[in-house]
Amino acid sequence: MRAANLFAQIPPPAAEEHFETLFTRPGLRIERILSHFHASPPGFWYAQPDDEWVLLAQGSAELEFGDGRRQALAPGDWLLIPAGCRHRVAATGPDTVWLAVHAGP
């Protein structure tokens, strides 16, 4: 059995977001993502092959979708991003912590 705290051992802010895989199995990956005023590069879009369920645990963020829609997230907000959905991180606040669950077929 392994236990840990989502908010423990957070590295200092860096130039890039920090991705840490917490759990993985075939067709499933759970990540902790740490952001600090990060955004996707201009013109960059994610369109992942798996569904992604994200929970904003701490901080603030805004996602942008390929259809022009934007979604602001506050702590406790979660969102299901279907496989293939074009999206990007428009902005994050300081010390932002995400929990992301990637689930494939």
Side-chain angles (χ1 to χ4, degrees):
M1 181 176 356
R2 179 176 177 231
N5 186 294
L6 189 64
F7 302 107
Q9 300 177 340
I10 291 179
E16 300 293 325
E17 287 183 301
H18 177 81
F19 295 83
E20 178 184 357
T21 298
L22 303 177
F23 181 80
T24 188
R25 290 288 185 271
L28 177 71
R29 186 175 79 251
I30 301 174
E31 293 179 313
R32 176 176 77 167
I33 304 169
L34 307 173
S35 307
H36 188 79
F37 296 113
H38 291 103
S40 297
F44 175 84
W45 294 91
Y46 292 101
Q48 299 156 316
D50 299 330
D51 291 333
E52 182 179 8
W53 181 90
V54 293
L55 166 73
L56 190 72
Q58 173 180 294
S60 62
E62 184 174 17
L63 298 178
E64 180 179 4
F65 296 91
D67 62 4
R69 204 171 32 95
R70 288 182 171 246
Q71 176 72 50
L73 299 171
D77 290 343
W78 62 268
L79 182 66
L80 176 62
I81 303 169
C85 177
R86 283 177 30 105
H87 67 285
R88 62 187 304 279
V89 178
T92 63
D95 305 319
T96 298
V97 178
W98 309 76
L99 186 64
V101 178
H102 302 268

